[in-house]
Amino acid sequence: PAGEVSHLTFSGGFGSFEKLAWWLDGKIHGALFGLIALVAALYLVRFTQQLLFLRRSGFSLFDQILVIAFCAGSLFALYRLYSGLTGDINDLIYGLPATVEQAFVVALVLVPLAALLLLRSVGHWRQGVATLTARVAFSVLTIGALLFVLLLWYWNLLSYFFA
């Protein structure tokens, strides 16, 4: 239950704190953001490799543009968030840095792209489009996209409302 004392400490004085559940730990969320960045970067490398060797995955041009837009947008948003929040602390005193505001705008664009990825992924499995490995890779990217949107929502990065 939130707000209840769950642990007491006696070393170095007396204090109390609430122990957070494992899924609320900031390190877990940081690792998930890193995993999403890794999946996006690997998919961009895979796409570049397909272009260089002129291999066809069986997906339409729309699907390929959708994937590139989501991967590039998520990497850009993560980079701008990281650079804005790890920069000079004095920038946060006078409001949000421009880099964080740019990340917010890109994050809002990524939400409908993630929904489109989900719809296209389900359609690919139903219609048997492309090879099995290409559909699995597309599905992994879709799961990463949905996880990314979930983390953006959890950290209140989809709006300018701050409590």
Side-chain angles (χ1 to χ4, degrees):
E4 293 183 7
V5 174
S6 60
H7 291 75
L8 296 174
T9 58
F10 293 102
S11 62
F14 178 76
S16 62
F17 64 95
E18 180 183 3
K19 184 176 180 185
L20 294 176
W22 67 268
W23 62 84
L24 297 176
D25 188 10
K27 291 177 185 174
I28 297 272
H29 290 200
L32 287 175
F33 277 122
L35 180 66
I36 290 164
L38 179 67
V39 166
L42 287 176
Y43 209 92
L44 284 177
V45 167
R46 181 179 180 273
F47 180 79
T48 305
Q49 182 184 26
Q50 285 178 348
L51 280 179
L52 290 177
F53 296 112
L54 300 174
R55 283 193 237 150
R56 297 260 317 136
S57 64
F59 292 123
S60 67
L61 181 62
F62 176 76
D63 291 330
Q64 293 174 1
I65 291 172
L66 180 65
V67 165
I68 290 171
F70 187 85
C71 291
S74 62
L75 289 174
F76 179 78
L78 287 170
Y79 171 72
R80 295 311 256 177
L81 275 173
Y82 181 79
S83 63
L85 297 177
T86 58
D88 188 13
I89 192 69
N90 293 325
D91 291 342
L92 294 173
I93 294 172
Y94 302 107
L96 287 176
T99 57
V100 176
E101 289 181 3
Q102 291 169 358
F104 280 178
V105 171
V106 172
L108 289 175
V109 172
L110 292 177
V111 173
L113 290 179
L116 273 173
L117 279 171
L118 178 63
L119 292 175
R120 299 298 290 181
S121 182
V122 169
H124 292 168
W125 281 103
R126 284 188 170 177
Q127 297 168 359
V129 174
T131 63
L132 178 64
T133 55
R135 281 183 284 167
V136 168
F138 198 89
S139 298
V140 168
L141 179 70
T142 302
I143 291 169
L146 296 175
L147 181 63
F148 187 56
V149 170
L150 182 67
L151 286 171
L152 291 174
W153 169 79
Y154 179 82
W155 285 102
N156 193 24
L157 298 175
L158 296 176
S159 69
Y160 282 97
F161 175 74
F162 294 100

mmCIF file of all heavy atoms in Angstrom, residues 29-76:
data_model
loop_
_atom_site.group_PDB
_atom_site.id
_atom_site.type_symbol
_atom_site.label_atom_id
_atom_site.label_comp_id
_atom_site.label_asym_id
_atom_site.label_seq_id
_atom_site.Cartn_x
_atom_site.Cartn_y
_atom_site.Cartn_z
ATOM 1 N N HIS A 29 13.441 0.420 -15.488
ATOM 2 C CA HIS A 29 12.906 1.249 -16.566
ATOM 3 C C HIS A 29 14.033 1.758 -17.469
ATOM 4 O O HIS A 29 13.869 1.816 -18.690
ATOM 5 C CB HIS A 29 12.106 2.417 -16.005
ATOM 6 C CG HIS A 29 10.831 1.975 -15.373
ATOM 7 N ND1 HIS A 29 9.778 2.815 -15.167
ATOM 8 C CD2 HIS A 29 10.422 0.776 -14.895
ATOM 9 C CE1 HIS A 29 8.791 2.175 -14.601
ATOM 10 N NE2 HIS A 29 9.167 0.930 -14.424
ATOM 11 N N GLY A 30 15.161 2.116 -16.878
ATOM 12 C CA GLY A 30 16.309 2.522 -17.688
ATOM 13 C C GLY A 30 16.793 1.398 -18.583
ATOM 14 O O GLY A 30 17.130 1.613 -19.754
ATOM 15 N N ALA A 31 16.806 0.169 -18.043
ATOM 16 C CA ALA A 31 17.210 -0.981 -18.844
ATOM 17 C C ALA A 31 16.211 -1.236 -19.970
ATOM 18 O O ALA A 31 16.598 -1.595 -21.087
ATOM 19 C CB ALA A 31 17.336 -2.219 -17.952
ATOM 20 N N LEU A 32 14.921 -1.041 -19.702
ATOM 21 C CA LEU A 32 13.912 -1.229 -20.749
ATOM 22 C C LEU A 32 14.053 -0.179 -21.852
ATOM 23 O O LEU A 32 13.922 -0.491 -23.033
ATOM 24 C CB LEU A 32 12.509 -1.188 -20.148
ATOM 25 C CG LEU A 32 12.113 -2.414 -19.332
ATOM 26 C CD1 LEU A 32 10.751 -2.208 -18.676
ATOM 27 C CD2 LEU A 32 12.099 -3.658 -20.193
ATOM 28 N N PHE A 33 14.312 1.075 -21.466
ATOM 29 C CA PHE A 33 14.560 2.105 -22.482
ATOM 30 C C PHE A 33 15.778 1.743 -23.321
ATOM 31 O O PHE A 33 15.788 1.916 -24.536
ATOM 32 C CB PHE A 33 14.741 3.485 -21.836
ATOM 33 C CG PHE A 33 13.461 4.191 -21.522
ATOM 34 C CD1 PHE A 33 13.163 4.589 -20.238
ATOM 35 C CD2 PHE A 33 12.548 4.494 -22.525
ATOM 36 C CE1 PHE A 33 11.987 5.257 -19.946
ATOM 37 C CE2 PHE A 33 11.376 5.163 -22.255
ATOM 38 C CZ PHE A 33 11.082 5.544 -20.957
ATOM 39 N N GLY A 34 16.826 1.230 -22.668
ATOM 40 C CA GLY A 34 18.021 0.807 -23.390
ATOM 41 C C GLY A 34 17.739 -0.362 -24.320
ATOM 42 O O GLY A 34 18.248 -0.415 -25.448
ATOM 43 N N LEU A 35 16.917 -1.304 -23.872
ATOM 44 C CA LEU A 35 16.549 -2.444 -24.709
ATOM 45 C C LEU A 35 15.769 -1.988 -25.941
ATOM 46 O O LEU A 35 15.993 -2.479 -27.050
ATOM 47 C CB LEU A 35 15.727 -3.448 -23.898
ATOM 48 C CG LEU A 35 15.259 -4.692 -24.629
ATOM 49 C CD1 LEU A 35 16.454 -5.552 -25.029
ATOM 50 C CD2 LEU A 35 14.295 -5.476 -23.766
ATOM 51 N N ILE A 36 14.878 -1.037 -25.754
ATOM 52 C CA ILE A 36 14.104 -0.511 -26.879
ATOM 53 C C ILE A 36 15.040 0.179 -27.876
ATOM 54 O O ILE A 36 14.896 0.015 -29.090
ATOM 55 C CB ILE A 36 13.011 0.439 -26.367
ATOM 56 C CG1 ILE A 36 11.943 -0.364 -25.624
ATOM 57 C CG2 ILE A 36 12.389 1.246 -27.503
ATOM 58 C CD1 ILE A 36 11.030 0.448 -24.763
ATOM 59 N N ALA A 37 15.994 0.944 -27.370
ATOM 60 C CA ALA A 37 16.959 1.599 -28.255
ATOM 61 C C ALA A 37 17.775 0.558 -29.013
ATOM 62 O O ALA A 37 18.041 0.715 -30.217
ATOM 63 C CB ALA A 37 17.876 2.515 -27.455
ATOM 64 N N LEU A 38 18.147 -0.529 -28.344
ATOM 65 C CA LEU A 38 18.917 -1.589 -28.996
ATOM 66 C C LEU A 38 18.101 -2.268 -30.101
ATOM 67 O O LEU A 38 18.603 -2.484 -31.202
ATOM 68 C CB LEU A 38 19.370 -2.624 -27.963
ATOM 69 C CG LEU A 38 20.169 -3.799 -28.509
ATOM 70 C CD1 LEU A 38 21.523 -3.332 -29.029
ATOM 71 C CD2 LEU A 38 20.343 -4.857 -27.439
ATOM 72 N N VAL A 39 16.838 -2.581 -29.813
ATOM 73 C CA VAL A 39 15.981 -3.217 -30.822
ATOM 74 C C VAL A 39 15.815 -2.297 -32.030
ATOM 75 O O VAL A 39 15.912 -2.734 -33.185
ATOM 76 C CB VAL A 39 14.615 -3.596 -30.207
ATOM 77 C CG1 VAL A 39 13.599 -3.945 -31.285
ATOM 78 C CG2 VAL A 39 14.771 -4.756 -29.246
ATOM 79 N N ALA A 40 15.580 -1.009 -31.779
ATOM 80 C CA ALA A 40 15.408 -0.054 -32.887
ATOM 81 C C ALA A 40 16.688 0.058 -33.716
ATOM 82 O O ALA A 40 16.641 0.058 -34.948
ATOM 83 C CB ALA A 40 14.998 1.309 -32.349
ATOM 84 N N ALA A 41 17.835 0.130 -33.036
ATOM 85 C CA ALA A 41 19.104 0.250 -33.761
ATOM 86 C C ALA A 41 19.393 -1.013 -34.569
ATOM 87 O O ALA A 41 19.831 -0.935 -35.724
ATOM 88 C CB ALA A 41 20.245 0.521 -32.781
ATOM 89 N N LEU A 42 19.139 -2.184 -33.985
ATOM 90 C CA LEU A 42 19.378 -3.431 -34.717
ATOM 91 C C LEU A 42 18.455 -3.561 -35.917
ATOM 92 O O LEU A 42 18.864 -4.053 -36.972
ATOM 93 C CB LEU A 42 19.195 -4.634 -33.781
ATOM 94 C CG LEU A 42 20.295 -4.848 -32.754
ATOM 95 C CD1 LEU A 42 19.944 -6.005 -31.832
ATOM 96 C CD2 LEU A 42 21.629 -5.074 -33.422
ATOM 97 N N TYR A 43 17.220 -3.095 -35.784
ATOM 98 C CA TYR A 43 16.308 -3.182 -36.921
ATOM 99 C C TYR A 43 16.748 -2.234 -38.032
ATOM 100 O O TYR A 43 16.648 -2.565 -39.210
ATOM 101 C CB TYR A 43 14.877 -2.882 -36.485
ATOM 102 C CG TYR A 43 13.864 -3.595 -37.353
ATOM 103 C CD1 TYR A 43 13.387 -4.837 -36.993
ATOM 104 C CD2 TYR A 43 13.432 -3.048 -38.542
ATOM 105 C CE1 TYR A 43 12.479 -5.520 -37.792
ATOM 106 C CE2 TYR A 43 12.531 -3.714 -39.349
ATOM 107 C CZ TYR A 43 12.053 -4.946 -38.971
ATOM 108 O OH TYR A 43 11.168 -5.612 -39.767
ATOM 109 N N LEU A 44 17.259 -1.064 -37.656
ATOM 110 C CA LEU A 44 17.779 -0.151 -38.679
ATOM 111 C C LEU A 44 18.999 -0.746 -39.374
ATOM 112 O O LEU A 44 19.169 -0.603 -40.588
ATOM 113 C CB LEU A 44 18.118 1.203 -38.070
ATOM 114 C CG LEU A 44 16.932 2.114 -37.761
ATOM 115 C CD1 LEU A 44 17.401 3.393 -37.087
ATOM 116 C CD2 LEU A 44 16.151 2.439 -39.019
ATOM 117 N N VAL A 45 19.862 -1.428 -38.623
ATOM 118 C CA VAL A 45 21.023 -2.097 -39.219
ATOM 119 C C VAL A 45 20.555 -3.190 -40.171
ATOM 120 O O VAL A 45 21.074 -3.328 -41.289
ATOM 121 C CB VAL A 45 21.947 -2.670 -38.120
ATOM 122 C CG1 VAL A 45 22.961 -3.635 -38.704
ATOM 123 C CG2 VAL A 45 22.634 -1.542 -37.375
ATOM 124 N N ARG A 46 19.542 -3.954 -39.751
ATOM 125 C CA ARG A 46 19.001 -5.013 -40.603
ATOM 126 C C ARG A 46 18.422 -4.434 -41.893
ATOM 127 O O ARG A 46 18.631 -4.970 -42.972
ATOM 128 C CB ARG A 46 17.927 -5.783 -39.840
ATOM 129 C CG ARG A 46 17.309 -6.909 -40.616
ATOM 130 C CD ARG A 46 16.259 -7.618 -39.749
ATOM 131 N NE ARG A 46 15.650 -8.707 -40.461
ATOM 132 C CZ ARG A 46 14.594 -8.611 -41.256
ATOM 133 N NH1 ARG A 46 14.042 -7.443 -41.451
ATOM 134 N NH2 ARG A 46 14.094 -9.654 -41.856
ATOM 135 N N PHE A 47 17.713 -3.322 -41.767
ATOM 136 C CA PHE A 47 17.126 -2.698 -42.954
ATOM 137 C C PHE A 47 18.215 -2.187 -43.893
ATOM 138 O O PHE A 47 18.134 -2.353 -45.105
ATOM 139 C CB PHE A 47 16.191 -1.559 -42.546
ATOM 140 C CG PHE A 47 15.556 -0.889 -43.721
ATOM 141 C CD1 PHE A 47 14.483 -1.476 -44.357
ATOM 142 C CD2 PHE A 47 16.041 0.310 -44.198
ATOM 143 C CE1 PHE A 47 13.888 -0.872 -45.453
ATOM 144 C CE2 PHE A 47 15.462 0.925 -45.290
ATOM 145 C CZ PHE A 47 14.381 0.334 -45.922
ATOM 146 N N THR A 48 19.257 -1.577 -43.320
ATOM 147 C CA THR A 48 20.366 -1.085 -44.135
ATOM 148 C C THR A 48 21.068 -2.243 -44.846
ATOM 149 O O THR A 48 21.425 -2.135 -46.022
ATOM 150 C CB THR A 48 21.368 -0.309 -43.262
ATOM 151 O OG1 THR A 48 20.666 0.717 -42.577
ATOM 152 C CG2 THR A 48 22.470 0.295 -44.086
ATOM 153 N N GLN A 49 21.225 -3.336 -44.149
ATOM 154 C CA GLN A 49 21.843 -4.522 -44.757
ATOM 155 C C GLN A 49 20.995 -5.034 -45.921
ATOM 156 O O GLN A 49 21.531 -5.410 -46.964
ATOM 157 C CB GLN A 49 22.009 -5.608 -43.702
ATOM 158 C CG GLN A 49 22.688 -6.859 -44.204
ATOM 159 C CD GLN A 49 22.726 -7.931 -43.148
ATOM 160 O OE1 GLN A 49 21.893 -7.967 -42.249
ATOM 161 N NE2 GLN A 49 23.697 -8.811 -43.261
ATOM 162 N N GLN A 50 19.687 -5.025 -45.760
ATOM 163 C CA GLN A 50 18.811 -5.455 -46.850
ATOM 164 C C GLN A 50 18.931 -4.528 -48.052
ATOM 165 O O GLN A 50 18.905 -4.975 -49.201
ATOM 166 C CB GLN A 50 17.358 -5.505 -46.387
ATOM 167 C CG GLN A 50 17.046 -6.683 -45.513
ATOM 168 C CD GLN A 50 15.608 -6.656 -45.030
ATOM 169 O OE1 GLN A 50 14.917 -5.653 -45.160
ATOM 170 N NE2 GLN A 50 15.163 -7.759 -44.471
ATOM 171 N N LEU A 51 19.070 -3.235 -47.807
ATOM 172 C CA LEU A 51 19.231 -2.287 -48.906
ATOM 173 C C LEU A 51 20.554 -2.505 -49.641
ATOM 174 O O LEU A 51 20.602 -2.466 -50.870
ATOM 175 C CB LEU A 51 19.165 -0.849 -48.400
ATOM 176 C CG LEU A 51 17.794 -0.263 -48.143
ATOM 177 C CD1 LEU A 51 17.928 1.171 -47.629
ATOM 178 C CD2 LEU A 51 16.948 -0.279 -49.393
ATOM 179 N N LEU A 52 21.616 -2.713 -48.870
ATOM 180 C CA LEU A 52 22.933 -2.871 -49.478
ATOM 181 C C LEU A 52 23.022 -4.142 -50.321
ATOM 182 O O LEU A 52 23.642 -4.147 -51.381
ATOM 183 C CB LEU A 52 24.019 -2.873 -48.403
ATOM 184 C CG LEU A 52 24.261 -1.538 -47.702
ATOM 185 C CD1 LEU A 52 25.302 -1.705 -46.609
ATOM 186 C CD2 LEU A 52 24.712 -0.485 -48.697
ATOM 187 N N PHE A 53 22.413 -5.209 -49.844
ATOM 188 C CA PHE A 53 22.509 -6.476 -50.564
ATOM 189 C C PHE A 53 21.271 -6.742 -51.423
ATOM 190 O O PHE A 53 21.121 -7.832 -51.964
ATOM 191 C CB PHE A 53 22.739 -7.623 -49.583
ATOM 192 C CG PHE A 53 24.037 -7.502 -48.850
ATOM 193 C CD1 PHE A 53 24.061 -7.254 -47.491
ATOM 194 C CD2 PHE A 53 25.242 -7.604 -49.525
ATOM 195 C CE1 PHE A 53 25.262 -7.141 -46.817
ATOM 196 C CE2 PHE A 53 26.449 -7.486 -48.861
ATOM 197 C CZ PHE A 53 26.453 -7.250 -47.495
ATOM 198 N N LEU A 54 20.396 -5.752 -51.512
ATOM 199 C CA LEU A 54 19.198 -5.813 -52.355
ATOM 200 C C LEU A 54 18.344 -7.047 -52.073
ATOM 201 O O LEU A 54 17.828 -7.691 -52.975
ATOM 202 C CB LEU A 54 19.577 -5.750 -53.838
ATOM 203 C CG LEU A 54 20.323 -4.478 -54.265
ATOM 204 C CD1 LEU A 54 20.772 -4.603 -55.698
ATOM 205 C CD2 LEU A 54 19.437 -3.264 -54.075
ATOM 206 N N ARG A 55 18.213 -7.380 -50.799
ATOM 207 C CA ARG A 55 17.346 -8.485 -50.415
ATOM 208 C C ARG A 55 15.944 -7.966 -50.159
ATOM 209 O O ARG A 55 15.772 -6.884 -49.617
ATOM 210 C CB ARG A 55 17.865 -9.154 -49.138
ATOM 211 C CG ARG A 55 19.033 -10.046 -49.389
ATOM 212 C CD ARG A 55 19.271 -10.889 -48.175
ATOM 213 N NE ARG A 55 20.642 -10.643 -47.756
ATOM 214 C CZ ARG A 55 21.067 -10.707 -46.522
ATOM 215 N NH1 ARG A 55 20.259 -10.976 -45.546
ATOM 216 N NH2 ARG A 55 22.322 -10.489 -46.225
ATOM 217 N N ARG A 56 14.962 -8.740 -50.496
ATOM 218 C CA ARG A 56 13.576 -8.363 -50.258
ATOM 219 C C ARG A 56 13.046 -9.160 -49.069
ATOM 220 O O ARG A 56 13.226 -10.369 -48.998
ATOM 221 C CB ARG A 56 12.714 -8.658 -51.479
ATOM 222 C CG ARG A 56 13.096 -7.880 -52.697
ATOM 223 C CD ARG A 56 12.255 -6.682 -52.998
ATOM 224 N NE ARG A 56 10.839 -6.914 -52.840
ATOM 225 C CZ ARG A 56 10.050 -6.037 -52.224
ATOM 226 N NH1 ARG A 56 10.526 -4.940 -51.749
ATOM 227 N NH2 ARG A 56 8.761 -6.276 -52.105
ATOM 228 N N SER A 57 12.387 -8.477 -48.166
ATOM 229 C CA SER A 57 11.813 -9.162 -47.014
ATOM 230 C C SER A 57 10.383 -9.598 -47.267
ATOM 231 O O SER A 57 9.835 -10.400 -46.535
ATOM 232 C CB SER A 57 11.843 -8.241 -45.796
ATOM 233 O OG SER A 57 11.023 -7.112 -46.025
ATOM 234 N N GLY A 58 9.763 -9.073 -48.307
ATOM 235 C CA GLY A 58 8.380 -9.413 -48.586
ATOM 236 C C GLY A 58 7.393 -8.388 -48.066
ATOM 237 O O GLY A 58 6.204 -8.491 -48.304
ATOM 238 N N PHE A 59 7.879 -7.396 -47.342
ATOM 239 C CA PHE A 59 7.003 -6.355 -46.818
ATOM 240 C C PHE A 59 6.848 -5.245 -47.844
ATOM 241 O O PHE A 59 7.719 -5.007 -48.674
ATOM 242 C CB PHE A 59 7.562 -5.764 -45.518
ATOM 243 C CG PHE A 59 7.541 -6.729 -44.369
ATOM 244 C CD1 PHE A 59 8.699 -7.041 -43.694
ATOM 245 C CD2 PHE A 59 6.359 -7.317 -43.963
ATOM 246 C CE1 PHE A 59 8.686 -7.919 -42.627
ATOM 247 C CE2 PHE A 59 6.330 -8.202 -42.904
ATOM 248 C CZ PHE A 59 7.491 -8.506 -42.231
ATOM 249 N N SER A 60 5.739 -4.541 -47.749
ATOM 250 C CA SER A 60 5.475 -3.441 -48.679
ATOM 251 C C SER A 60 6.359 -2.241 -48.342
ATOM 252 O O SER A 60 6.959 -2.168 -47.264
ATOM 253 C CB SER A 60 4.006 -3.034 -48.597
ATOM 254 O OG SER A 60 3.726 -2.465 -47.337
ATOM 255 N N LEU A 61 6.414 -1.303 -49.253
ATOM 256 C CA LEU A 61 7.175 -0.077 -49.032
ATOM 257 C C LEU A 61 6.608 0.700 -47.849
ATOM 258 O O LEU A 61 7.358 1.279 -47.065
ATOM 259 C CB LEU A 61 7.162 0.791 -50.299
ATOM 260 C CG LEU A 61 7.934 2.100 -50.237
ATOM 261 C CD1 LEU A 61 9.414 1.821 -49.999
ATOM 262 C CD2 LEU A 61 7.724 2.899 -51.509
ATOM 263 N N PHE A 62 5.280 0.685 -47.691
ATOM 264 C CA PHE A 62 4.643 1.348 -46.556
ATOM 265 C C PHE A 62 5.140 0.775 -45.238
ATOM 266 O O PHE A 62 5.446 1.510 -44.295
ATOM 267 C CB PHE A 62 3.117 1.222 -46.653
ATOM 268 C CG PHE A 62 2.402 1.801 -45.465
ATOM 269 C CD1 PHE A 62 2.273 3.174 -45.316
ATOM 270 C CD2 PHE A 62 1.878 0.976 -44.489
ATOM 271 C CE1 PHE A 62 1.626 3.709 -44.224
ATOM 272 C CE2 PHE A 62 1.232 1.503 -43.386
ATOM 273 C CZ PHE A 62 1.104 2.876 -43.250
ATOM 274 N N ASP A 63 5.226 -0.565 -45.153
ATOM 275 C CA ASP A 63 5.723 -1.209 -43.930
ATOM 276 C C ASP A 63 7.164 -0.807 -43.647
ATOM 277 O O ASP A 63 7.531 -0.550 -42.496
ATOM 278 C CB ASP A 63 5.631 -2.731 -44.046
ATOM 279 C CG ASP A 63 4.200 -3.220 -44.051
ATOM 280 O OD1 ASP A 63 3.347 -2.563 -43.433
ATOM 281 O OD2 ASP A 63 3.940 -4.262 -44.685
ATOM 282 N N GLN A 64 7.978 -0.767 -44.672
ATOM 283 C CA GLN A 64 9.378 -0.415 -44.480
ATOM 284 C C GLN A 64 9.528 1.040 -44.032
ATOM 285 O O GLN A 64 10.332 1.342 -43.147
ATOM 286 C CB GLN A 64 10.153 -0.680 -45.761
ATOM 287 C CG GLN A 64 10.230 -2.155 -46.090
ATOM 288 C CD GLN A 64 10.878 -2.424 -47.430
ATOM 289 O OE1 GLN A 64 11.296 -1.512 -48.130
ATOM 290 N NE2 GLN A 64 10.967 -3.698 -47.795
ATOM 291 N N ILE A 65 8.742 1.932 -44.612
ATOM 292 C CA ILE A 65 8.790 3.339 -44.193
ATOM 293 C C ILE A 65 8.278 3.484 -42.768
ATOM 294 O O ILE A 65 8.836 4.242 -41.968
ATOM 295 C CB ILE A 65 7.987 4.214 -45.180
ATOM 296 C CG1 ILE A 65 8.712 4.267 -46.519
ATOM 297 C CG2 ILE A 65 7.777 5.619 -44.623
ATOM 298 C CD1 ILE A 65 7.923 4.944 -47.621
ATOM 299 N N LEU A 66 7.234 2.741 -42.422
ATOM 300 C CA LEU A 66 6.696 2.768 -41.063
ATOM 301 C C LEU A 66 7.736 2.322 -40.050
ATOM 302 O O LEU A 66 7.928 2.954 -39.006
ATOM 303 C CB LEU A 66 5.457 1.870 -41.011
ATOM 304 C CG LEU A 66 4.731 1.736 -39.683
ATOM 305 C CD1 LEU A 66 4.138 3.075 -39.267
ATOM 306 C CD2 LEU A 66 3.635 0.689 -39.793
ATOM 307 N N VAL A 67 8.444 1.255 -40.360
ATOM 308 C CA VAL A 67 9.473 0.731 -39.458
ATOM 309 C C VAL A 67 10.623 1.731 -39.315
ATOM 310 O O VAL A 67 11.092 2.005 -38.206
ATOM 311 C CB VAL A 67 9.977 -0.637 -39.956
ATOM 312 C CG1 VAL A 67 11.261 -1.027 -39.273
ATOM 313 C CG2 VAL A 67 8.916 -1.687 -39.744
ATOM 314 N N ILE A 68 11.077 2.278 -40.433
ATOM 315 C CA ILE A 68 12.174 3.247 -40.376
ATOM 316 C C ILE A 68 11.759 4.478 -39.579
ATOM 317 O O ILE A 68 12.521 4.989 -38.758
ATOM 318 C CB ILE A 68 12.617 3.646 -41.792
ATOM 319 C CG1 ILE A 68 13.307 2.470 -42.450
ATOM 320 C CG2 ILE A 68 13.552 4.845 -41.771
ATOM 321 C CD1 ILE A 68 13.596 2.685 -43.901
ATOM 322 N N ALA A 69 10.541 4.951 -39.802
ATOM 323 C CA ALA A 69 10.061 6.136 -39.076
ATOM 324 C C ALA A 69 9.997 5.865 -37.585
ATOM 325 O O ALA A 69 10.419 6.703 -36.779
ATOM 326 C CB ALA A 69 8.694 6.550 -39.608
ATOM 327 N N PHE A 70 9.487 4.705 -37.190
ATOM 328 C CA PHE A 70 9.394 4.420 -35.760
ATOM 329 C C PHE A 70 10.769 4.240 -35.142
ATOM 330 O O PHE A 70 11.040 4.781 -34.065
ATOM 331 C CB PHE A 70 8.539 3.185 -35.474
ATOM 332 C CG PHE A 70 8.321 3.010 -34.005
ATOM 333 C CD1 PHE A 70 7.298 3.683 -33.375
ATOM 334 C CD2 PHE A 70 9.173 2.242 -33.245
ATOM 335 C CE1 PHE A 70 7.123 3.579 -32.014
ATOM 336 C CE2 PHE A 70 9.012 2.126 -31.885
ATOM 337 C CZ PHE A 70 7.982 2.796 -31.261
ATOM 338 N N CYS A 71 11.640 3.486 -35.788
ATOM 339 C CA CYS A 71 12.978 3.250 -35.237
ATOM 340 C C CYS A 71 13.767 4.549 -35.120
ATOM 341 O O CYS A 71 14.346 4.839 -34.067
ATOM 342 C CB CYS A 71 13.737 2.245 -36.087
ATOM 343 S SG CYS A 71 13.105 0.568 -36.002
ATOM 344 N N ALA A 72 13.782 5.329 -36.179
ATOM 345 C CA ALA A 72 14.523 6.598 -36.142
ATOM 346 C C ALA A 72 13.896 7.559 -35.141
ATOM 347 O O ALA A 72 14.613 8.236 -34.390
ATOM 348 C CB ALA A 72 14.547 7.219 -37.535
ATOM 349 N N GLY A 73 12.569 7.605 -35.085
ATOM 350 C CA GLY A 73 11.900 8.499 -34.140
ATOM 351 C C GLY A 73 12.146 8.108 -32.693
ATOM 352 O O GLY A 73 12.378 8.963 -31.833
ATOM 353 N N SER A 74 12.118 6.821 -32.402
ATOM 354 C CA SER A 74 12.354 6.395 -31.019
ATOM 355 C C SER A 74 13.797 6.641 -30.605
ATOM 356 O O SER A 74 14.051 7.074 -29.476
ATOM 357 C CB SER A 74 11.973 4.925 -30.836
ATOM 358 O OG SER A 74 12.765 4.103 -31.655
ATOM 359 N N LEU A 75 14.749 6.384 -31.497
ATOM 360 C CA LEU A 75 16.149 6.675 -31.159
ATOM 361 C C LEU A 75 16.360 8.175 -30.962
ATOM 362 O O LEU A 75 17.071 8.592 -30.047
ATOM 363 C CB LEU A 75 17.077 6.136 -32.247
ATOM 364 C CG LEU A 75 17.214 4.618 -32.316
ATOM 365 C CD1 LEU A 75 18.035 4.209 -33.523
ATOM 366 C CD2 LEU A 75 17.822 4.074 -31.043
ATOM 367 N N PHE A 76 15.735 8.989 -31.815
ATOM 368 C CA PHE A 76 15.851 10.437 -31.675
ATOM 369 C C PHE A 76 15.244 10.905 -30.352
ATOM 370 O O PHE A 76 15.845 11.708 -29.631
ATOM 371 C CB PHE A 76 15.161 11.142 -32.846
ATOM 372 C CG PHE A 76 15.197 12.639 -32.771
ATOM 373 C CD1 PHE A 76 16.345 13.334 -33.113
ATOM 374 C CD2 PHE A 76 14.090 13.349 -32.336
ATOM 375 C CE1 PHE A 76 16.391 14.718 -33.031
ATOM 376 C CE2 PHE A 76 14.121 14.731 -32.243
ATOM 377 C CZ PHE A 76 15.273 15.421 -32.594
#
